[in-house]
């Protein structure tokens, strides 16, 4: 499986710290495997897809899984459970 290198992103790590600009993020086997300032990560012996994302922001772990399986959007906004 190829690793993915996201170059030159602004990283929001969810810790409450200020966003970190000019970061590289390596993703291997669907997990973040390395972080570092742009240009600091070594990947010479790996099969890597590289995406330069200057000006974009990365917030790892935020996935939109919002779904309404049986919601009724009627005038009262009540959930209809079929009963």
């Amino acid at each position: 499986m190829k690793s993915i290198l996201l170059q030159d992103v602004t990283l929001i790590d969810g810790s409450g710290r200020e966003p970190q600009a000019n970061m590289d993020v390596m993703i291997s086997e669907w997990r973040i495997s390395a972080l570092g300032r742009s240009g600091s990560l070594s990947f010479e012996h790996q099969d890597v897809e590289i995406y330069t994302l200057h000006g974009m922001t990365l917030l790892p772990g935020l996935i939109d899984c919002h779904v309404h399986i049986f919601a009724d959007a009627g005038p009262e906004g009540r959930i209809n459970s079929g009963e």
Side-chain angles (χ1 to χ4, degrees):
M1 170 183 280
K2 281 188 177 182
S3 293
I4 298 171
L5 178 62
L6 306 177
Q7 290 183 317
D8 200 17
V9 298
T10 297
L11 177 66
I12 299 175
D13 65 12
S15 69
R17 289 190 296 179
E18 291 294 316
Q20 301 172 61
N22 307 106
M23 296 295 290
D24 286 354
V25 179
M26 180 71 75
I27 302 168
S28 302
E29 298 182 16
W30 302 107
R31 296 185 184 272
I32 295 174
S33 58
L35 296 170
R37 290 279 172 209
S38 288
S40 69
L41 299 182
S42 174
F43 54 91
E44 294 173 19
H45 304 290
Q46 295 181 41
D47 190 12
V48 178
E49 283 185 53
I50 300 172
Y51 297 91
T52 301
L53 303 174
H54 179 74
M56 300 191 88
T57 300
L58 178 66
L59 178 59
L62 184 63
I63 300 171
D64 183 3
C65 294
H66 185 101
V67 64
H68 295 270
I69 296 173
F70 58 88
D72 176 8
E76 295 178 21
R78 294 184 182 172
I79 293 178
N80 179 2
S81 64
E83 294 181 20

